[in-house]
């Protein structure tokens, strides 16, 4: 199927009221539908959005992104940009208008650790923050190399994020 067809299908699915409660993304050429994230996940996103908002950035949860790299149209847990870059209200938001994306790992680690990281690097998004409540780790990636499809890890912020309110996911019950 052509890349444009996937994007058209995604636009159609987003119009269906029956799917309002689902997060619908295009990841690596596949339509992915997920239920709402768990409260700890959403709490981390909320705390990060509040801290970044205090620094005059616009922190947009669940914003759809697009670039010239086909087969992807992710909705980052948090997209950080400035008002000037979103003043035309374009949706999906072009990746070249994004300063930072944040992903909080849920159940599909492969998507956040590999597939989205690769797409964000290919799309040259300057910063990628990965928060993993499964083990309490955080990784800030910068200096995307679109040719090698990866980032270097560094500390470009110049300020610290308060993570004291972040909670680890509770252990999954045994079946």
């Amino acid at each position: 199927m052509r890349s444009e067809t996937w994007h058209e299908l995604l636009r159609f699915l987003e119009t269906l009221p029956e799917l309002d409660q689902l997060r619908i993304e295009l990841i690596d050429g596949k339509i992915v539908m997920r239920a709402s994230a768990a409260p700890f996940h959403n709490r981390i996103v909320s705390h990060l959005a509040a801290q970044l908002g205090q620094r005059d950035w616009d922190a947009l949860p669940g914003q759809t992104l697009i670039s010239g790299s086909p087969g992807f149209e992710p909705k980052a847990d948090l997209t950080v940009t400035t008002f000037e870059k979103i003043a035309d209200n374009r949706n999906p938001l072009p990746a070249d208008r994004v300063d930072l994306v944040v992903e909080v790992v849920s159940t599909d680690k492969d998507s956040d650790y590999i597939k989205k990281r690769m797409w964000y690097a290919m799309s040259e998004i300057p910063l990628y923050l990965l928060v993993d409540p499964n083990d309490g780790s955080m990784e800030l990636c910068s200096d995307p190399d679109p040719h090698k499809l990866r980032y270097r890890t560094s500390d470009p912020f110049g300020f610290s994020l308060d993570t004291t309110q972040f909670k680890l996911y509770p252990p999954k019950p045994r079946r």
Side-chain angles (χ1 to χ4, degrees), residues 146-161:
H147 304 292
K148 294 184 180 177
L149 309 180
R150 64 185 170 99
Y151 283 90
R152 288 186 210 99
T153 304
S154 63
D155 182 19
F157 271 136
F159 65 89
S160 297
L161 292 170

Side-chain angles (χ1 to χ4, degrees), residues 137-167:
S137 65
M138 283 185 33
E139 181 180 10
L140 178 63
C141 303
S142 65
D143 302 318
D145 186 336
H147 304 292
K148 294 184 180 177
L149 309 180
R150 64 185 170 99
Y151 283 90
R152 288 186 210 99
T153 304
S154 63
D155 182 19
F157 271 136
F159 65 89
S160 297
L161 292 170
D162 179 8
T163 61
T164 57
Q165 298 298 311
F166 294 5
K167 302 295 180 207

Side-chain angles (χ1 to χ4, degrees), residues 18-167:
E18 298 85 2
L19 302 180
D20 277 350
Q21 300 304 312
L22 296 177
R23 181 184 193 118
I24 306 170
E25 300 177 279
L26 179 60
I27 304 295
D28 201 19
K30 296 180 178 92
I31 300 281
V32 177
M33 292 188 236
R34 292 190 186 105
S36 174
F40 283 8
H41 177 282
N42 291 334
R43 189 169 188 265
I44 291 169
V45 172
S46 174
H47 280 278
L48 287 171
Q51 290 181 62
L52 294 165
Q54 289 174 350
R55 301 196 180 276
D56 294 326
W57 284 352
D58 285 304
L60 312 171
Q63 176 61 54
T64 304
L65 302 174
I66 196 161
S67 77
S69 300
F72 280 85
E73 200 170 307
K75 290 182 179 174
D77 289 324
L78 202 57
T79 299
V80 181
T81 187
T82 61
F83 179 76
E84 292 76 26
K85 293 179 182 176
I86 60 170
D88 64 354
N89 203 32
R90 185 158 170 207
N91 191 36
L93 183 65
D96 62 359
R97 298 181 184 189
V98 176
D99 297 301
L100 163 72
V101 287
V102 177
E103 293 291 353
V104 178
V105 178
S106 298
T107 53
D108 185 4
K109 285 186 169 192
D110 185 51
S111 180
D112 293 328
Y113 275 99
I114 299 170
K115 294 175 183 175
K116 286 185 178 181
R117 180 188 308 229
M118 177 191 72
W119 187 83
Y120 295 148
M122 285 184 343
S123 301
E124 299 185 64
I125 294 175
L127 299 169
Y128 176 44
L129 179 63
L130 185 63
V131 180
D132 192 338
N134 293 293
D135 61 12
S137 65
M138 283 185 33
E139 181 180 10
L140 178 63
C141 303
S142 65
D143 302 318
D145 186 336
H147 304 292
K148 294 184 180 177
L149 309 180
R150 64 185 170 99
Y151 283 90
R152 288 186 210 99
T153 304
S154 63
D155 182 19
F157 271 136
F159 65 89
S160 297
L161 292 170
D162 179 8
T163 61
T164 57
Q165 298 298 311
F166 294 5
K167 302 295 180 207

